[in-house]
Amino acid sequence: MKLISIKRETRPEARFTPKMGALVTNVTYIKKQFLSIPYKTLHKYRETYYGEVKDCEECNLAL
């Protein structure tokens, strides 16, 4: 049994960019888990319509 594992999870989120406005995009989280309990997010990114992979620091959460 592994004590520490890494899991990738994708879920849709509402984001806001100044150029495009509000959009709903799939955001992928890479999380580190200890005994199947997530405790640290290593990286999060999103894939654009054109297939580019961008870091989520470039866009803000829409309110």
Side-chain angles (χ1 to χ4, degrees):
M1 180 175 164
K2 288 185 174 180
L3 293 179
I4 296 176
S5 63
I6 295 176
K7 186 174 180 183
R8 184 183 309 233
E9 177 187 358
T10 302
R11 61 182 177 197
E13 282 189 3
R15 295 276 170 170
F16 180 81
T17 58
K19 290 184 179 179
M20 292 181 63
L23 71 140
V24 176
T25 184
N26 287 330
V27 178
T28 303
Y29 291 89
I30 300 174
K31 294 184 179 183
K32 190 181 275 191
Q33 295 181 339
F34 180 74
L35 295 176
S36 300
I37 300 171
Y39 71 93
K40 184 177 182 182
T41 301
L42 299 175
H43 187 68
K44 64 181 179 177
Y45 61 90
R46 64 186 176 94
E47 188 172 345
T48 64
Y49 179 77
Y50 302 106
E52 296 178 41
V53 175
K54 291 189 173 182
D55 194 18
C56 282
E57 299 298 323
E58 299 171 2
C59 58
N60 300 323
L61 287 172
L63 298 178

